[in-house]
Structures are given as C-alpha cells and as structure tokens.
Amino acid sequence: MNTEDAVLPPGWRMSEQPRSPLPARWSTNGFEEELSWLGEDVVNAAETAVLPPGCEDSVWILHNQYVCPLGVDPGLLAEEDKGPIYLVAPPSEFVRIRWSKVAKIKGVPLRGAFWDGLEVPPCFRWDAMVGWDEAGLVLPGAEFVYQPMSGTIGQVELEALLTLLQSATKTQWVQGIFAAADRYADDILGVVVGADGIRRRQVVSFELEALLPALLEPTLPNHTPEFWWPEDRAWAVWTDWDLLGSKVFGSKELIETLRRHPDLETLDWFPVRADPQTPLDPVREQRA
C-alpha cells in the first residue's frame, strides 16, 4: 500500500493504470463530488449562460495563436517528423495573432461551426483559427503557425490572468480537477475506484502561484485543470480538454477587469442552435 492508498476511504483503491507524480506544492484533496458546489448545469454545460453560486458574470479568454515571422528559426515546427509542437510558452520571437484579427483578414465571423445542431465553443472548428497553411495569410512571408494547445491556457494569458484572479480572492490556495478524457483519464488525475466500483477523479490542491511553474515543467501536468477555483469560491475557471478557450466566472468587477486587460483576448460568447438561432439555455431546455 502506498501513501495515496493509505488516505483513501475503506474499500477504495487507486486505479491500476500508471500515474505521474504531482508537481511540487501540489496535493490531492477530496474527490470529484467537490464539483457539486458549481451546480449540475455548470458542470454539464459550462459553455452556456449558467453561473456558479456567488458568481455574477462570465467571459471567455481565447488562447493565443502565434506565427513565426520570416527570418526566424521555427525550430521543431520545421521538422515534419516531430508532429505538432504544442507548448505552453511559445518562442519569444513569434508574433501573436489575435482571433479577431484573423477573423477580419479571412472575412469570417468570430463564432464556431455547428456540430450535431449546436454551435461549438472556441476550438479548431472555428474559422478564425489560423490553419497550418495560412501563416502567410496573416503575416506576409511567414510559413509556420504556432497553434494553441488544446485544453490549456498559455503562459502569456496565465501571467495576466493569475494576477487578477489573486486580487479577487482572499486565499492563496486553489482546488481543481483534471478532465476525465484524453491522456489524463488515468494519469495525474489520480483516478480512484470506490467501494461501489465506480471510478472517480481526485481533486488536486495547490497554491495559485504554483500553477504556471508546474505547466512550464516538461513533465505532467502540462494542461490547466478542467475546473479550478479558490477555497473561498470567489471565482472559477473552466477549460475543457479539447477547447482553445477558457471561461472565467466571477464577480462583475473581476470579469470587467479581464475584459479590459490588454494581454487577454476576451469574448462574450454563448452557443446557439443551428435552427432556430436562439441561445442555448439548459434551464429552459429542461422546462421544454
């Protein structure tokens, strides 16, 4: 029995899949039932207009896109056999291209495509994302695109965001939970199996200032958690595992501050149905 097993409730066990160690100053603290405070609608449909208890507003932060200028060594991006290179921190010489500028250049709306009749949140299905062959379209002479990494907030955005989040809470400690999808299902999540045989995710706890250093390490986790919030629940951040944008919930003052920050590209977006074009509201859907 290891240390993690020792703190589990009677009859519970860790998943038998390999797990990566937690970063320094991180620990496990509870199980996914801790998400219940957010409300079922937020957990299941965070992209809609619903808000967690105590939060008054929300806004999306679009993950930064970059292009490698002509004359700058693109590094591993030029090596086709390496595949896509997704890192939290892009090379400093690369030029940031805002989604709104790409939309204007390409003549497309800053909105998503439709999937199964619903508009998708910010992701690769948005035409305002720079395609692999579109570097020269947004920056003359450029050949290489540095697309955002799915499911995580980049360094530039985090450096701005974390400072503002810290000013909006009275605690240094944050709790979070990683997505139960993709590579994290049986890795740093610390998935456990309850006495009832049901698999559950563990909640991680860390100091807010310890998030970015952990993401910049070459080992896991190199994604931000799916949901994370301070101990006083003054705000919450959501980043689904395959999205290229994150949604922040909080006070009106915090959200307005995010909207005004020059290093953050924010967007007030809610999904619509393909037909009719009406905002998706889970409460109204349940009543229908």
Side-chain angles (χ1 to χ4, degrees):
M1 176 181 295
N2 58 34
T3 303
E4 291 174 296
D5 295 331
V7 298
L8 294 177
W12 290 46
R13 60 180 175 82
M14 295 298 300
S15 168
E16 296 178 358
Q17 296 295 323
R19 304 188 301 276
S20 296
L22 285 170
R25 298 156 64 192
W26 288 49
S27 61
T28 54
N29 182 15
F31 303 97
E32 62 184 86
E33 285 83 355
E34 299 291 331
L35 289 173
S36 63
W37 80 271
L38 292 165
E40 186 175 347
D41 287 336
V42 174
V43 174
N44 295 328
E47 70 275 16
T48 65
V50 295
L51 295 169
C55 294
E56 302 170 316
D57 202 356
S58 67
V59 72
W60 284 86
I61 294 176
L62 301 179
H63 301 168
N64 290 340
Q65 305 184 79
Y66 294 85
V67 172
C68 178
L70 183 66
V72 173
D73 181 6
L76 293 177
L77 285 175
E79 301 182 29
E80 295 182 2
D81 60 332
K82 297 293 184 181
I85 307 299
Y86 295 115
L87 298 173
V88 173
S92 59
E93 299 88 355
F94 281 29
V95 176
R96 176 185 177 186
I97 304 295
R98 291 181 179 262
W99 292 67
S100 57
K101 181 177 180 179
V102 177
K104 184 176 181 180
I105 292 173
K106 297 172 69 172
V108 298
L110 191 55
R111 299 200 66 93
F114 289 90
W115 184 260
D116 289 340
L118 293 177
E119 186 182 10
V120 297
C123 67
F124 70 94
R125 296 184 185 277
W126 281 41
D127 289 336
M129 179 177 176
V130 183
W132 291 114
D133 59 347
E134 295 178 329
L137 181 65
V138 298
L139 189 66
E143 297 182 356
F144 299 97
V145 172
Y146 191 100
Q147 294 178 339
M149 182 167 63
S150 297
T152 198
I153 308 174
Q155 180 178 9
V156 172
E157 304 101 295
L158 273 177
E159 287 176 344
L161 177 61
L162 292 177
T163 298
L164 299 179
L165 292 179
Q166 183 63 75
S167 67
T169 180
K170 297 178 180 179
T171 177
Q172 296 284 337
W173 287 92
V174 174
Q175 294 182 329
I177 192 165
F178 287 94
D182 200 33
R183 64 186 297 183
Y184 297 97
D186 287 302
D187 205 306
I188 196 161
L189 281 175
V191 172
V192 299
V193 181
D196 54 9
I198 297 177
R199 300 169 75 247
R200 293 175 173 84
R201 291 174 287 168
Q202 289 203 88
V203 172
V204 294
S205 179
F206 52 90
E207 291 182 87
L208 192 59
E209 65 180 22
L211 177 59
L212 184 54
L215 296 176
L216 296 177
E217 288 292 328
T219 56
L220 292 176
N222 54 12
H223 283 55
T224 42
E226 177 183 14
F227 284 102
W228 43 292
W229 60 90
E231 288 182 330
D232 61 8
R233 300 176 179 177
W235 45 259
V237 182
W238 174 63
T239 309
D240 196 45
W241 70 276
D242 63 347
L243 295 188
L244 300 179
S246 297
K247 192 172 183 180
V248 182
F249 307 88
S251 67
K252 290 185 179 295
E253 180 182 6
L254 170 63
I255 301 305
E256 281 301 322
T257 302
L258 296 180
R259 290 188 178 112
R260 294 193 301 266
H261 198 287
D263 290 334
L264 299 174
E265 184 175 12
T266 61
L267 181 67
D268 293 308
W269 175 90
F270 299 105
V272 297
R273 287 195 179 279
D275 185 28
Q277 296 282 321
T278 55
L280 178 66
D281 185 334
V283 176
R284 185 170 64 239
E285 293 289 321
Q286 290 175 2
R287 294 173 179 170

